[in-house]
């Protein structure tokens, strides 16, 4: 369970993960030593899973984003795990989700242009034996929430 101090620490770190401990402590109104212990405990409990640098995909030469919805057959553990691993190794992959519904996977990719996307679909997806069906959706805009608050059940304050 998270208390009010944990929630405040998480909120501040989601705004700026590079915040120095003394500044974080001041923002949540606790002593720096207490803040350090709380921050470490959040990492050890797995609440804080890591820190990432957000990059501009256009600056990396990959301004076109798409979500490729993939259906595999058979949809078994022996196919799912290797497919997930394969997709994550593709340099164009941003993320992959194993989902319920008419599709089995949603693969978020970033590519240089439409030709690159076509080559990716043909060479890396439709050429695989387990891929039964796919469709591609272009992303006009993609936003990631900067702050995700806990649910009421996760807090015990």
């Amino acid at each position: 369970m998270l208390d009010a101090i944990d929630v405040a620490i998480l909120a501040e770190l989601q705004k700026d993960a590079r915040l120095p401990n003394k500044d974080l402590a001041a923002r949540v109104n606790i002593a720096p030593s207490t803040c350090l212990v709380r921050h470490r405990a959040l990492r050890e409990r797995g609440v804080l899973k890591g820190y990432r640098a957000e990059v501009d995909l256009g600056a990396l030469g990959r301004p076109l984003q798409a979500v490729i919805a993939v259906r595999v057959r058979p949809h078994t553990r022996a196919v799912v795990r290797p497919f997930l691993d394969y997709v994550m190794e593709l340099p164009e992959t941003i993320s992959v989700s194993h989902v319920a519904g008419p599709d089995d996977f949603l693969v978020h990719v970033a590519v240089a242009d439409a030709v690159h996307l076509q080559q990716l679909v043909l060479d890396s997806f439709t050429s695989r034996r387990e891929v039964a069906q796919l469709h591609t959706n272009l992303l006009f805009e993609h936003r990631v929430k900067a702050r995700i608050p806990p649910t009421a059940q996760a807090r015990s304050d």
Side-chain angles (χ1 to χ4, degrees):
M1 298 300 249
L2 302 174
D3 64 15
I5 293 170
D6 291 334
V7 170
I9 290 171
L10 292 171
E12 292 301 325
L13 288 174
Q14 287 182 86
K15 289 179 199 169
D16 182 0
R18 296 172 35 160
L19 196 60
N21 184 65
K22 75 177 180 74
D23 295 342
L24 177 60
R27 288 187 186 183
V28 299
N29 202 26
I30 59 176
S33 58
T34 301
C35 189
L36 192 61
V37 169
R38 292 288 197 118
H39 189 173
R40 183 177 301 132
L42 288 167
R43 283 194 321 268
E44 289 170 356
R45 290 172 32 209
V47 177
L48 282 171
K49 298 178 72 80
Y51 304 90
R52 291 167 188 77
E54 185 177 338
V55 298
D56 179 343
L57 293 169
L60 298 179
R62 301 185 335 174
L64 183 63
Q65 295 181 60
V67 172
I68 304 170
V70 182
R71 185 178 305 162
V72 296
R73 291 296 174 255
H75 187 206
T76 62
R77 190 175 305 276
V79 169
V80 166
R81 188 64 43 206
F83 186 78
L84 280 167
D85 293 341
Y86 167 77
V87 169
M88 285 305 292
E89 291 298 319
L90 295 172
E92 295 88 355
T93 299
I94 303 299
S95 66
V96 60
S97 299
H98 183 203
V99 298
D103 301 308
D104 299 318
F105 300 96
L106 298 176
V107 185
H108 178 190
V109 299
V111 295
D113 53 31
V115 171
H116 185 179
L117 181 59
Q118 180 186 30
Q119 290 170 344
L120 176 68
V121 168
L122 294 174
D123 298 339
S124 300
F125 287 92
T126 61
S127 63
R128 296 199 49 102
R129 190 177 4 207
E130 71 271 30
V131 173
Q133 185 177 10
L134 65 78
H135 62 272
T136 304
N137 296 292
L138 293 180
L139 297 180
F140 293 128
E141 188 172 344
H142 177 73
R143 295 183 186 187
V144 177
K145 230 177 181 178
R147 181 173 180 270
I148 303 169
T151 63
Q153 293 110 358
R155 300 190 328 208
S156 62
D157 41 336

